[in-house]
Amino acid sequence: MRLNHQFAKSALALSIILAGHTGLAHATDSSITDNEIRIGYLADMSGVYRDPIGPLGLDAINMAIEDVGGSVAGADIVLFNADDRNSPDVGSSVVREWIDEQNVDMVTGLVASSVTLAAVKLLEEENRLGLVNGAVSSSVTNEHCSPNHIHWVYDTWAMSNGTAKAITQEGHKNWYLLSADYSFGHALEQDVERVVTENGGTIVGSARHPFPSSDFSSFMLQAQASGADVIALNNAGGDTINAVRTAGQFGITQAGQILAGMVLFSTDIRSLGLENAQGLQFTKAWYYDLNDETRAWAERFRERTGSMPTMVHAGLYSSTLHYLEAIEAVGTDDTQAVRQQMMDTPVNDIFATDGYIREDGRMVHDMYLVEVKTPEESADEDDLFRVVRTIPAEEAFRPLSESVCPLVNS
């Protein structure tokens, strides 16, 4: 599809965060382009990824901007946002306009993997920075790595490695793979198949569903008929919710088959309810009830938005904060200087402890295998999970020895 100029204009919503001017404020640094730090937030604002990421991602970014005082290196921070409609064409057109007409320094959000892969190509061509928070495909820092983007929250390698490995090692060896039919679903399908087979399991069947999809009846009947021990849902957001609900209607889990959600958010569990979601195991990059610091930040987010944050909201805050602090440290918004400073500085905040950015652009940090609590175990509406296992950073993500990224050992 094509995006005409008028639509591109209307797609952009601009919020300007003005710096507080005090007697201690220093003069604008001439090495800051346009005397402003310009950030674009590109995300699905109205589709299947609206609830776990969407509009509330703006609040997470604004919290980071506020926490640096509204300016860095003497320059005000300007924040643009747009709905990519889960379309690579729409996303590319918005990013192109941001670069050509707004001179944006950094683009964050980047949710659907198809949109993300199109956007990061433009960012590399124009030497701008991308902070990928929503997209899950591990190819973002493998075959599609570049010196112009960083992958922050999770990826398909980490999500499948945590969940599929644990379930297979528990003795559930026969798997059926149901995947969203686009780049994210394909990548997750490949990663789950790899983990299952490496741990002695077998793929007994597979299918791909349209993205997005509201009718999972035929797919779930096929999965049920396969006799698989485990049905892996290689999708996310509304697709996962619809698939789990359909499985419940057909009594799939009641009959003994296991549903393994590969990418689940707290918003999904709330939508499903503990009665339907109890016992689900899956991998998370972050959870608001991990410690006192995460609970305090999450409460601040809830007071602002009326909702508890997801792992991507926490990642948006963390990556934006790390970016802005890097600009303050080097005194310039030059893409490569800022990216190098981000790589040189450990990530210690509400999202990660001793996280670090590798040469392939992967931010490496601990991950968590969690299980959904029963209604009886839950103390309140926000008490959804228990941590089964902390997956150490070095174990969580694809080792560089297996990377095909040209930036590795270059």
Side-chain angles (χ1 to χ4, degrees), residues 237-288:
D239 284 339
T240 300
I241 292 171
N242 289 332
V244 172
R245 284 178 174 160
T246 303
Q249 292 167 7
F250 292 145
I252 286 176
T253 55
Q254 293 90 326
Q257 287 177 296
I258 296 170
L259 277 185
M262 291 298 126
V263 181
L264 279 164
F265 298 90
S266 53
T267 49
D268 301 332
I269 304 305
R270 283 201 182 84
S271 180
L272 289 164
L274 294 183
E275 191 65 41
N276 294 318
Q278 60 184 303
L280 274 173
Q281 287 192 3
F282 56 97
T283 304
K284 291 181 69 66
W286 180 89
Y287 176 44
Y288 45 74

Side-chain angles (χ1 to χ4, degrees), residues 87-89 91-92 95 112-123 125:
S87 164
D89 288 340
S92 295
V95 172
S113 296
S114 54
V115 175
T116 298
L117 294 177
V120 295
K121 286 182 181 178
L122 282 175
L123 295 172
E125 289 171 7

Side-chain angles (χ1 to χ4, degrees), residues 278-343:
Q278 60 184 303
L280 274 173
Q281 287 192 3
F282 56 97
T283 304
K284 291 181 69 66
W286 180 89
Y287 176 44
Y288 45 74
D289 204 23
L290 287 171
N291 54 53
D292 290 343
E293 187 179 10
T294 59
R295 282 188 287 271
W297 184 83
E299 188 56 40
R300 179 180 157 207
F301 184 93
R302 179 167 59 177
E303 289 174 0
R304 182 188 189 108
T305 66
S307 175
M308 293 298 275
T310 67
M311 54 186 164
V312 176
H313 295 145
L316 286 164
Y317 170 85
S318 171
S319 58
T320 302
L321 185 67
H322 201 67
Y323 169 73
L324 294 174
E325 290 176 342
I327 293 175
E328 184 69 42
V330 297
T332 178
D333 59 358
D334 175 79
T335 296
Q336 296 307 319
V338 173
R339 187 178 188 272
Q340 187 60 53
Q341 177 64 24
M342 293 177 72
M343 292 178 64

Side-chain angles (χ1 to χ4, degrees), residues 173-195:
K173 300 292 187 180
N174 296 323
W175 287 64
Y176 187 94
L177 309 182
L178 178 58
S179 310
D181 193 9
Y182 80 108
S183 55
F184 152 61
H186 302 169
L188 192 50
E189 177 184 85
Q190 292 171 7
D191 281 328
V192 171
E193 182 172 359
R194 172 188 54 79
V195 173

